[in-house]
Amino acid sequence: MATEAQIKAVRKYEKENMKRVTFMFNLKKDADILNRLESVPSKAGYIKALIRADIARQQNESSN
């Protein structure tokens, strides 16, 4: 179990360096998305990779 000091340090780090983003999905309309997210080992990693690919695609389009 973490000590109170460790918990405080983690909270401080998260406050200064992290941002939480949440999504709500409709179970019927977004079932395809939910199924895909359930199939990947890391939801956050998968979403980040998709966003970074989109950013790179847009940068390539704007430079052409």
Side-chain angles (χ1 to χ4, degrees):
M1 181 142 171
T3 67
E4 195 168 324
Q6 289 170 322
I7 293 169
K8 184 177 177 182
V10 168
R11 285 187 183 146
K12 181 180 185 289
Y13 175 84
E14 288 176 348
K15 183 177 181 180
E16 294 173 355
N17 298 288
M18 306 296 284
K19 179 172 180 96
R20 182 177 304 270
V21 178
T22 60
F23 299 91
M24 290 186 69
F25 295 95
N26 181 292
L27 293 175
K28 294 178 183 176
K29 294 179 183 178
D30 300 325
D32 57 336
I33 296 169
L34 292 168
N35 287 335
R36 181 62 178 152
L37 285 174
E38 290 301 321
S39 74
V40 297
S42 169
K43 292 170 185 57
Y46 180 69
I47 292 167
K48 289 176 188 179
L50 290 174
I51 293 169
R52 288 187 174 119
D54 184 54
I55 291 168
R57 181 184 54 79
Q58 288 180 350
Q59 288 174 342
N60 288 337
E61 288 175 2
S62 67
S63 67
N64 290 333

